[in-house]
Amino acid sequence: MLVHFTIPFLKKNKTNVMIALIQFVIIFVILQYVSALLLDQYSKRNELDQGIGANTWTIEAAIKNIKDIDGEGHLTWLNTQIDALNKQVSPQHVSYSYIDYNQRSNQGYSVLYVEKKLYDRLAERLRLDQAPYLYTNISNEKIQSIHIGKNDFKADQRFLMADTELIDSLTNGMLQNYILLPTDGFPYDNLSVQINMFIYDLDSQAFDSAQLLHQLNSLNPRYEYSISQTIDSSTSLLNYSINDFLSYIFIAIMALCLIMIGFIGFLLVQFYEEKRNVQLLRIMGASTIQMFALFFIRNSLIVLPAFTVASLIGYLSLRTQYADVWIAMFSWNVVGMIGLLLLATLPSFIKTIQLNLIDNH
Amino acid sequence: MCLIELVNITKVYRGKNVETKVFEGISFEIHVGDYIGLYGRSGSGKSTLLHILGLLDRPSSGTVKFKGTDIGQIKAHQFSQIRNEHIGFVFQDFRLIDELTIFENVEIPLILSKQKCSKAVREQKVMAVLSKLDIQDKRNSYPQELSGGQKQRVAIARALVNEPSLILADEPTGNLDEQAARNTMQILSELNKEGTTIIIVTHDPEVKKYTDKVIDMREIVAQM
Ligand SMILES: Nc1ncnc2c1ncn2[C@@H]1O[C@H](COP(=O)(O)OP(=O)(O)OP(=O)(O)O)[C@@H](O)[C@H]1O
Ligand SMILES: [Mg+2]
């Protein structure tokens, strides 16, 4: 009965209802994009945590301006940066490795130098796994994931740890294989190597990533630094970057602000319109439960169609990109929608309870 | 028979900085079938008193008995049910809902009623009061399409539809011309003859011709 009561109100306020509908469609679309983004990040993180172990980070340096590639070698890591890094993150959590492509590649294999701490760590792992690994056709990302202690190897691949003498004795027969060597020194003298810097066994909360990146960037302006977790799974390259994460949080906050602005606008218009009628219905004996039902039904008639439209838009635009998280996202959005519905209804309801029924025109 | 009994009623509005004492120590009785005019200058507390009588507000102190029951003992949520079933309200500014048709406006108290009735019964009840007030042909119109007098008749129809024992009218003729005012007063008189208790707040000395009893705010305040 109350439903049939609310429809005339909506019909008579077509413009406002249309505005509210559009507002809610936008709100729900934003909600879907943000929750898809965050859920996607979350599931990536989970996968990464499982894939390479939690709390392991790679600091990558990407050249800022492609024109800067002038054939001259430039240092991706400067002494001052190493100092800055060690100031922020205790050296026991920092390590690095580098691949020497040039040194012996004409002999059919490359050497991967690993800093002593990391070498010991890997040796421990690999010894536990008993057989030495020999690794073929290795990609950069794959190397990184090996460095940080997770074996992502195929059954027939082996990774060999060796000392220099052993390498020499092995060089003849081997092609395209990497040999892992411990190193004690940072390769400042060799500009052609690509250095991979790691932070391991450290929660991202334990260091100020934004400040660290800012420092690294300002100390070496040729490069853009980023902190991420990377895994090379069989299907796709996963990358979880702290910079990205921070910007997602920023996006999420902006989106929330937008949602709140739209939402508060809706509430204000609603308040303005309904005060008189609410009072009248109360005078004629509407109970508080009936008032709540009335607001709830009225708001549902706006929110539910808007949610349906937004879900359709979301389904068509996000389905492929976020296929894995779509169901989870949709469930969260239903929860969000019900929350907004209650939130939209509550102020009117509280107002009704507080209402002083005396009104001198 | 006593419909409403007020014993030693005081009403004080407490604002943030100001305290307005409207009246103090008022006692009187309203009997079934009374037709009472409530007079007094602006700000003397007529509406305040009417709201207390209509269970829209509680007094600051004193006892209000409705049909023998002390309303101080009644839970607030039961007030709405009593209002819905026993009391009809009529206002100076009609207070119809612009978004609803005349029919729907009059139907509201039936929809809000705890005693659910079918659509057919509602239709029949609404049409009965609309016919009684001679506005049945306006059933599908909206309030803004009606004259002041017609709107007031719709408001009275709405007040009547649940067959209340008491009608409270706050300056019902205040916004009407002479003709429409007379018409409204005649309708209320007829209702009173049929047994409905009516209390009417007014400035209009003409109204005295219709009412049986007069309560003057000046006098009851002076009694204090
Ligand atoms: N909600 C309220 N809060 C505070 N003071 C109020 C409130 N309602 C009324 N008053 C005060 O109570 C006094 C009586 O008001 P009331 O509305 O009962 O007067 P009235 O006799 O109906 O006047 P009028 O003839 O102008 O309608 C006035 O001084 C008014 O300012
Ligand atoms: Mg008044």
Side-chain angles (χ1 to χ4, degrees):
Chain A
M1 270 194 291
L2 285 171
V3 178
H4 117 126
F5 199 58
T6 53
I7 291 169
F9 282 94
L10 298 178
K11 270 195 197 150
K12 272 278 176 152
N13 290 314
K14 276 195 194 105
T15 332
N16 283 340
V17 170
M18 278 317 290
I19 291 170
L21 262 171
I22 293 167
Q23 259 176 354
F24 273 104
V25 169
I26 293 169
I27 283 175
F28 287 130
V29 168
I30 292 174
L31 206 62
Q32 285 188 77
Y33 270 83
V34 172
S35 55
L37 206 67
L38 293 180
L39 276 169
D40 191 50
Q41 285 298 306
Y42 179 76
S43 81
K44 261 189 195 170
R45 253 212 101 143
N46 260 351
E47 200 177 321
L48 284 162
D49 280 355
Q50 278 165 16
I52 59 172
N55 303 330
T56 306
W57 305 90
T58 308
I59 306 178
E60 282 171 302
I63 195 146
K64 257 190 195 157
N65 189 347
I66 201 83
K67 288 183 192 131
D68 275 359
I69 302 174
D70 49 11
E72 298 278 313
H74 292 285
L75 292 170
T76 48
W77 283 90
L78 306 176
N79 256 323
T80 49
Q81 287 178 299
I82 304 281
D83 290 345
L85 179 60
N86 282 334
K87 218 173 255 169
Q88 274 262 347
V89 181
S90 148
Q92 81 191 73
H93 293 296
V94 179
S95 191
Y96 59 87
S97 70
Y98 55 94
I99 307 163
D100 189 344
Y101 290 105
N102 303 327
Q103 234 176 16
R104 306 178 199 206
S105 56
N106 55 344
Q107 291 175 30
Y109 63 94
S110 297
V111 175
L112 181 60
Y113 288 93
V114 180
E115 198 232 1
K116 188 76 172 68
K117 279 177 299 203
L118 205 52
Y119 180 89
D120 291 343
R121 202 176 136 92
L122 285 178
E124 178 71 14
R125 276 193 69 81
L126 296 176
R127 217 165 281 127
L128 284 177
D129 291 343
Q130 279 159 7
Y133 290 102
L134 190 81
Y135 215 57
T136 54
N137 280 334
I138 207 161
S139 73
N140 241 345
E141 288 77 18
K142 196 147 262 169
I143 291 169
Q144 287 179 8
S145 73
I146 300 165
H147 294 179
I148 38 199
K150 189 83 185 179
N151 45 327
D152 191 18
F153 310 92
K154 300 201 179 78
D156 59 336
Q157 291 172 330
R158 289 287 178 273
F159 192 67
L160 185 68
M161 297 206 302
D163 52 28
T164 328
E165 289 96 277
L166 183 59
I167 294 171
D168 287 336
S169 70
L170 288 172
T171 38
N172 295 332
M174 280 195 252
L175 282 165
Q176 293 180 339
N177 293 326
Y178 285 91
I179 290 175
L180 189 66
L181 274 184
T183 178
D184 289 327
F186 202 81
Y188 286 119
D189 53 336
N190 188 347
L191 300 184
S192 63
V193 300
Q194 182 192 336
I195 292 158
N196 299 298
M197 188 67 71
F198 306 106
I199 297 174
Y200 57 89
D201 287 346
L202 199 62
D203 191 278
S204 63
Q205 305 291 314
F207 59 99
D208 186 345
S209 57
Q211 205 209 324
L212 178 60
L213 286 173
H214 177 76
Q215 255 179 327
L216 295 179
N217 283 328
S218 60
L219 289 170
N220 195 352
R222 285 176 77 89
Y223 293 91
E224 176 86 47
Y225 293 82
S226 66
I227 303 179
S228 67
Q229 285 181 313
T230 304
I231 191 172
D232 185 13
S233 77
S234 50
T235 48
S236 65
L237 178 70
L238 265 183
N239 189 304
Y240 174 84
S241 152
I242 286 191
N243 316 34
D244 289 353
F245 186 66
L246 291 176
S247 54
Y248 290 149
I249 287 191
F250 179 74
I251 291 171
I253 289 171
M254 290 308 288
L256 267 178
C257 288
L258 268 177
I259 288 175
M260 286 324 287
I261 289 170
F263 190 65
I264 287 167
F266 169 76
L267 288 185
L268 287 179
V269 170
Q270 210 185 31
F271 257 12
Y272 176 75
E273 277 182 356
E274 77 192 359
K275 189 179 171 225
R276 197 184 120 98
N277 290 338
V278 165
Q279 204 157 30
L280 189 56
L281 291 173
R282 288 289 283 156
I283 288 173
M284 284 191 285
S287 67
T288 41
I289 293 165
Q290 282 174 324
M291 291 313 301
F292 185 79
L294 202 66
F295 295 133
F296 192 78
I297 293 166
R298 196 261 323 267
N299 289 344
S300 301
L301 288 175
I302 295 171
V303 170
L304 289 178
F307 185 72
T308 312
V309 172
S311 296
L312 238 117
I313 295 173
Y315 180 71
L316 294 176
S317 58
L318 296 171
R319 180 190 32 158
T320 41
Q321 196 186 346
Y322 295 110
D324 296 344
V325 293
W326 206 84
I327 299 285
M329 182 211 72
F330 185 74
S331 330
W332 277 112
N333 275 281
V334 170
V335 172
M337 183 265 294
I338 293 171
L340 274 182
L341 195 53
L342 287 175
L343 218 69
T345 307
L346 223 57
S348 312
F349 183 59
I350 290 169
K351 186 94 187 153
T352 308
I353 293 173
Q354 289 177 334
L355 196 66
N356 183 356
L357 288 168
I358 301 238
D359 177 30
N360 271 328
H361 343 298
Chain B
M1 202 178 83
C2 194
L3 182 64
I4 302 179
E5 190 184 351
L6 301 188
V7 185
N8 213 10
I9 295 293
T10 298
K11 181 68 189 179
V12 182
Y13 287 114
R14 290 197 175 82
K16 275 208 180 77
N17 305 313
V18 286
E19 220 175 66
T20 317
K21 187 185 278 176
V22 188
F23 41 70
E24 193 173 14
I26 291 181
S27 302
F28 63 88
E29 290 178 3
I30 290 162
H31 297 275
V32 174
D34 275 357
Y35 192 0
I36 296 172
L38 194 54
Y39 289 86
R41 55 177 176 75
S42 183
S44 59
K46 303 182 295 294
S47 299
T48 305
L49 186 56
L50 204 68
H51 285 117
I52 291 173
L53 291 170
L55 308 194
L56 291 171
D57 198 6
R58 289 177 192 264
S60 309
S61 70
T63 320
V64 179
K65 285 185 181 165
F66 190 86
K67 293 192 171 174
T69 313
D70 181 355
I71 66 149
Q73 312 298 331
I74 299 179
K75 296 225 171 64
H77 71 264
Q78 289 172 312
F79 277 34
S80 52
Q81 198 185 338
I82 296 176
R83 279 201 301 273
N84 179 265
E85 289 171 8
H86 298 284
I87 307 173
F89 293 88
V90 179
F91 301 95
Q92 179 177 0
D93 57 351
F94 323 125
R95 302 212 194 170
L96 302 175
I97 295 179
D98 295 336
E99 291 85 352
L100 302 178
T101 63
I102 298 312
F103 183 93
E104 287 164 337
N105 263 287
V106 176
E107 196 186 12
I108 296 170
L110 293 173
I111 290 177
L112 296 175
S113 171
K114 278 264 176 339
Q115 274 125 36
K116 301 284 172 220
C117 47
S118 70
K119 197 165 168 49
V121 173
R122 291 206 306 271
E123 165 107 25
Q124 182 233 314
K125 285 190 174 183
V126 172
M127 286 320 289
V129 281
L130 286 179
S131 307
K132 185 170 184 174
L133 293 160
D134 199 28
I135 34 169
Q136 68 274 37
D137 54 324
K138 297 288 183 194
R139 62 169 295 179
N140 292 322
S141 305
Y142 285 91
Q144 58 274 26
E145 297 159 10
L146 267 57
S147 73
Q150 287 168 331
K151 281 189 212 173
Q152 197 56 297
R153 274 186 279 157
V154 174
I156 294 172
R158 185 182 60 188
L160 281 182
V161 75
N162 261 345
E163 295 163 25
S165 40
L166 173 66
I167 287 187
L168 298 174
D170 199 343
E171 300 193 34
T173 58
N175 280 352
L176 302 177
D177 64 26
E178 215 175 301
Q179 169 77 35
R182 210 174 307 132
N183 180 265
T184 301
M185 289 312 299
Q186 271 156 8
I187 292 168
L188 291 175
S189 287
E190 257 159 59
L191 290 173
N192 179 247
K193 285 198 187 92
E194 290 166 20
T196 313
T197 311
I198 297 176
I199 301 171
I200 179 166
V201 167
T202 186
H203 286 298
D204 186 354
E206 281 286 299
V207 171
K208 275 192 185 141
K209 289 183 198 158
Y210 298 91
T211 55
D212 307 333
K213 264 191 215 171
V214 167
I215 294 177
D216 192 327
M217 288 310 286
R218 240 177 339 186
E219 280 171 24
I220 49 174
V221 174
Q223 280 171 16
M224 310 190 304

